[in-house]
Amino acid sequence: MTTDSGTRVKELADLFVRFLETNTAPEGLFTDDVFLDLTVPQWRLQASGRDELVAARRRSHPFLGTVPRHRVDATPTGLVLEFEEQWEDEQGGTWYCRELMRADIRDGAISEASVYCTGDWDPATRAAHAREVDLLRP
């Protein structure tokens, strides 16, 4: 992969993180015909086209949040992005999820993405996890 391609992969990862934090797709992030295949613990959802992908995101994550950690790796056809999200619900409880996305890049934008999500951990699940599990790394 050339330096320019590696630079674009990092740019796309940063744009995707901005999308996750704002629920608005930055210009140049997705192709018009982008395809999303999202797997959550017991469900699978798909969306075709930029507008449908953004609408699916807004339905599943109506509250804005942050991406405290992420890592991107270039692949021969695109990128792999590992990320975590946190957000507050209307009662002020902090929610959490971990996700992995494999994305194809066409003409400098994400054209296809498969996302695998742990599911959304509510405050009670987060508290139980903190009590029962000692993580070696954050």
Side-chain angles (χ1 to χ4, degrees):
M1 176 167 286
T2 67
T3 303
D4 290 340
S5 296
T7 299
R8 185 59 182 158
V9 163
K10 174 148 180 14
E11 290 170 355
L12 286 172
D14 291 343
L15 290 173
F16 191 78
V17 167
R18 186 181 331 151
F19 168 60
L20 295 173
E21 293 180 337
T22 65
N23 278 356
T24 301
E27 190 65 35
L29 175 59
F30 299 119
T31 60
D32 290 338
D33 64 343
V34 64
F35 178 76
L36 170 70
D37 193 353
L38 169 65
T39 302
V40 293
Q42 296 181 344
W43 216 247
R44 187 173 175 196
L45 306 166
Q46 296 180 335
S48 183
R50 182 185 359 231
D51 292 343
E52 286 301 314
L53 186 150
V54 171
R57 168 66 185 182
R58 290 177 180 168
R59 281 191 303 273
S60 67
H61 280 261
F63 301 104
L64 300 182
T66 61
V67 176
R69 279 183 284 284
H70 72 280
R71 173 187 166 165
V72 64
D73 294 308
T75 69
T77 60
L79 62 93
V80 173
L81 182 66
E82 177 184 17
F83 55 99
E84 298 178 11
E85 294 186 75
Q86 291 183 345
W87 64 98
E88 302 285 322
D89 64 17
E90 61 272 348
Q91 287 86 34
T94 302
W95 290 63
Y96 168 88
C97 68
R98 291 190 71 197
E99 297 167 86
L100 188 69
M101 174 178 72
R102 186 221 34 91
D104 291 332
I105 298 172
R106 185 179 75 236
D107 300 328
I110 294 174
S111 60
E112 187 167 325
S114 295
V115 179
Y116 300 88
C117 178
T118 60
D120 299 341
W121 294 9
D122 63 13
T125 302
R126 293 186 74 214
H129 184 266
R131 281 191 312 273
E132 297 175 27
V133 178
D134 290 322
L135 294 177
L136 300 177
R137 296 182 183 175

Coordinates of all heavy atoms in Angstrom, one line a residue, residues 47-84:
A47 N -28.3 -1.9 5.3 CA -28.7 -0.6 4.7 C -27.9 -0.4 3.4 O -26.8 -0.8 3.3 CB -28.5 0.5 5.7
S48 N -28.6 0.2 2.4 CA -28.0 0.5 1.2 C -28.1 1.9 0.8 O -29.3 2.5 0.9 CB -28.6 -0.4 0.1 OG -28.0 -0.2 -1.2
G49 N -27.0 2.6 0.6 CA -27.0 4.0 0.2 C -26.7 4.8 1.5 O -27.0 4.4 2.6
R50 N -26.0 6.0 1.2 CA -25.6 6.8 2.3 C -26.7 7.3 3.2 O -26.6 7.2 4.5 CB -24.9 8.0 1.7 CG -24.3 9.0 2.8 CD -23.7 10.2 2.2 NE -23.8 10.3 0.8 CZ -22.7 10.6 0.0 NH1 -21.6 10.8 0.5 NH2 -22.9 10.6 -1.3
D51 N -27.8 7.7 2.7 CA -28.9 8.2 3.5 C -29.5 7.1 4.4 O -29.8 7.3 5.5 CB -30.0 8.8 2.6 CG -29.6 10.1 2.0 OD1 -28.6 10.7 2.4 OD2 -30.3 10.5 1.0
E52 N -29.7 5.9 3.8 CA -30.2 4.8 4.6 C -29.2 4.4 5.7 O -29.6 4.0 6.8 CB -30.5 3.6 3.7 CG -31.8 3.8 2.9 CD -33.0 4.1 3.8 OE1 -33.2 3.4 4.8 OE2 -33.8 5.0 3.5
L53 N -27.9 4.4 5.4 CA -26.9 4.0 6.4 C -27.0 5.1 7.6 O -27.0 4.7 8.8 CB -25.5 4.0 5.8 CG -24.4 3.5 6.7 CD1 -23.3 2.9 5.9 CD2 -23.8 4.7 7.5
V54 N -27.0 6.3 7.3 CA -27.1 7.4 8.3 C -28.4 7.2 9.1 O -28.4 7.3 10.4 CB -27.0 8.8 7.7 CG1 -27.3 9.8 8.8 CG2 -25.6 9.0 7.1
A55 N -29.5 6.9 8.4 CA -30.8 6.7 9.2 C -30.7 5.5 10.1 O -31.2 5.6 11.2 CB -31.9 6.6 8.1
A56 N -30.1 4.4 9.6 CA -29.9 3.2 10.5 C -29.1 3.6 11.7 O -29.4 3.1 12.8 CB -29.3 2.1 9.7
R57 N -28.1 4.3 11.5 CA -27.2 4.8 12.7 C -28.0 5.6 13.7 O -28.0 5.3 14.9 CB -26.0 5.6 12.2 CG -25.3 6.3 13.2 CD -24.6 5.4 14.2 NE -23.9 6.1 15.2 CZ -23.2 5.6 16.2 NH1 -23.0 4.3 16.2 NH2 -22.7 6.3 17.1
R58 N -28.8 6.5 13.2 CA -29.6 7.4 14.1 C -30.6 6.6 14.8 O -30.9 6.9 16.0 CB -30.2 8.5 13.3 CG -29.1 9.5 12.8 CD -29.7 10.6 12.0 NE -28.7 11.5 11.5 CZ -28.8 12.5 10.6 NH1 -30.0 12.6 10.0 NH2 -27.8 13.3 10.3
R59 N -31.2 5.6 14.2 CA -32.2 4.8 14.8 C -31.6 3.9 16.0 O -32.2 3.8 17.0 CB -32.9 3.8 13.9 CG -34.0 4.5 13.0 CD -34.8 3.4 12.2 NE -34.0 2.6 11.4 CZ -33.7 2.9 10.1 NH1 -34.1 4.0 9.6 NH2 -33.0 2.0 9.4
S60 N -30.4 3.4 15.7 CA -29.8 2.5 16.7 C -29.0 3.2 17.8 O -28.8 2.7 18.9 CB -28.9 1.5 16.0 OG -27.8 2.2 15.4
H61 N -28.6 4.5 17.5 CA -27.8 5.3 18.4 C -28.3 6.7 18.4 O -27.6 7.6 17.9 CB -26.3 5.2 18.1 CG -25.6 4.0 18.6 ND1 -24.9 4.0 19.8 CD2 -25.6 2.8 18.1 CE1 -24.4 2.8 19.9 NE2 -24.8 2.0 18.9
P62 N -29.5 7.0 19.0 CA -30.1 8.3 18.9 C -29.3 9.3 19.8 O -29.4 10.5 19.6 CB -31.5 8.2 19.4 CG -31.5 6.9 20.2 CD -30.4 6.0 19.6
F63 N -28.6 8.8 20.8 CA -27.8 9.7 21.7 C -26.4 9.9 21.2 O -25.7 8.9 20.8 CB -27.8 9.1 23.1 CG -29.2 8.9 23.7 CD1 -29.7 7.7 23.8 CD2 -29.9 10.0 24.1 CE1 -31.0 7.5 24.3 CE2 -31.2 9.9 24.7 CZ -31.7 8.6 24.8
L64 N -25.9 11.1 21.2 CA -24.6 11.3 20.7 C -23.6 10.9 21.8 O -23.9 11.0 23.0 CB -24.4 12.8 20.4 CG -25.2 13.3 19.2 CD1 -24.9 14.8 19.0 CD2 -25.1 12.5 18.0
G65 N -22.4 10.5 21.5 CA -21.4 10.1 22.5 C -20.0 10.3 22.0 O -19.8 11.2 21.2
T66 N -19.1 9.5 22.5 CA -17.7 9.6 22.2 C -17.2 8.3 21.8 O -17.7 7.2 22.1 CB -16.9 10.1 23.4 OG1 -17.0 9.2 24.5 CG2 -17.4 11.5 23.8
V67 N -16.0 8.3 21.1 CA -15.3 7.1 20.8 C -13.9 7.3 21.5 O -13.0 7.9 21.1 CB -15.0 7.0 19.3 CG1 -14.2 5.8 18.9 CG2 -16.4 6.9 18.5
P68 N -13.9 6.7 22.8 CA -12.7 6.9 23.6 C -11.4 6.2 23.1 O -10.3 6.6 23.4 CB -13.1 6.4 25.0 CG -14.2 5.5 24.7 CD -14.9 6.0 23.5
R69 N -11.6 5.1 22.3 CA -10.5 4.4 21.8 C -10.9 3.8 20.4 O -12.0 3.3 20.2 CB -10.2 3.2 22.7 CG -9.3 3.5 23.9 CD -9.0 2.3 24.7 NE -10.0 1.8 25.5 CZ -10.5 2.4 26.6 NH1 -9.9 3.5 27.1 NH2 -11.4 1.9 27.3
H70 N -9.9 3.8 19.5 CA -10.0 3.2 18.2 C -8.7 2.8 17.7 O -7.7 3.4 18.0 CB -10.9 4.0 17.2 CG -10.2 5.2 16.7 ND1 -10.1 6.4 17.4 CD2 -9.6 5.4 15.5 CE1 -9.5 7.3 16.7 NE2 -9.1 6.7 15.5
R71 N -8.6 1.9 16.8 CA -7.4 1.5 16.1 C -7.8 1.1 14.6 O -8.8 0.4 14.4 CB -6.8 0.2 16.8 CG -5.7 -0.3 16.0 CD -5.2 -1.6 16.6 NE -4.3 -2.3 15.6 CZ -3.5 -3.3 15.9 NH1 -3.4 -3.7 17.2 NH2 -2.8 -3.9 15.0
V72 N -7.0 1.5 13.7 CA -7.3 1.2 12.3 C -6.1 0.5 11.7 O -4.9 0.8 12.0 CB -7.6 2.5 11.5 CG1 -6.4 3.5 11.4 CG2 -8.0 2.2 10.1
D73 N -6.3 -0.5 10.9 CA -5.3 -1.2 10.1 C -5.8 -1.2 8.6 O -6.9 -1.5 8.3 CB -5.2 -2.6 10.6 CG -4.6 -2.7 12.0 OD1 -3.6 -2.1 12.3 OD2 -5.3 -3.4 12.9
A74 N -4.8 -0.9 7.8 CA -5.1 -1.0 6.3 C -5.1 -2.4 5.9 O -4.4 -3.3 6.4 CB -4.0 -0.2 5.6
T75 N -6.0 -2.7 4.9 CA -6.1 -4.0 4.3 C -5.8 -3.8 2.8 O -5.9 -2.7 2.3 CB -7.4 -4.7 4.5 OG1 -8.4 -4.0 3.8 CG2 -7.8 -4.8 6.0
P76 N -5.7 -4.9 2.0 CA -5.5 -4.7 0.6 C -6.6 -4.0 -0.1 O -6.5 -3.4 -1.1 CB -5.3 -6.1 0.1 CG -4.7 -6.9 1.2 CD -5.4 -6.3 2.4
T77 N -7.9 -4.1 0.4 CA -9.0 -3.5 -0.2 C -9.7 -2.4 0.6 O -10.7 -1.9 0.2 CB -10.1 -4.6 -0.4 OG1 -10.5 -5.2 0.8 CG2 -9.6 -5.7 -1.4
G78 N -9.1 -2.1 1.8 CA -9.7 -1.1 2.6 C -9.1 -0.9 4.0 O -7.9 -0.7 4.1
L79 N -9.9 -1.2 5.0 CA -9.5 -1.0 6.3 C -10.2 -1.9 7.3 O -11.3 -2.4 7.0 CB -9.6 0.4 6.8 CG -11.0 1.1 6.8 CD1 -11.6 0.9 8.2 CD2 -10.9 2.5 6.4
V80 N -9.6 -2.1 8.5 CA -10.3 -2.7 9.6 C -10.2 -1.7 10.7 O -9.1 -1.2 11.0 CB -9.7 -4.0 10.1 CG1 -10.3 -4.6 11.4 CG2 -9.8 -5.1 9.0
L81 N -11.3 -1.4 11.4 CA -11.4 -0.4 12.4 C -12.0 -1.1 13.7 O -13.1 -1.6 13.6 CB -12.2 0.8 12.0 CG -12.3 1.9 13.0 CD1 -11.0 2.6 13.3 CD2 -13.4 3.0 12.5
E82 N -11.2 -1.1 14.8 CA -11.7 -1.5 16.1 C -12.0 -0.3 16.9 O -11.2 0.7 16.9 CB -10.6 -2.3 16.7 CG -11.0 -2.8 18.1 CD -9.8 -3.6 18.8 OE1 -8.7 -3.4 18.3 OE2 -10.1 -4.3 19.8
F83 N -13.2 -0.2 17.5 CA -13.6 1.0 18.2 C -14.5 0.7 19.4 O -15.2 -0.3 19.4 CB -14.1 2.1 17.3 CG -15.3 1.6 16.5 CD1 -16.6 1.9 16.9 CD2 -15.2 0.9 15.3 CE1 -17.7 1.5 16.1 CE2 -16.2 0.5 14.5 CZ -17.5 0.8 14.9
E84 N -14.5 1.6 20.3 CA -15.5 1.6 21.5 C -16.3 2.9 21.4 O -15.8 3.9 21.0 CB -14.7 1.5 22.8 CG -13.8 0.3 22.9 CD -13.0 0.3 24.2 OE1 -13.3 1.1 25.1 OE2 -12.2 -0.6 24.3

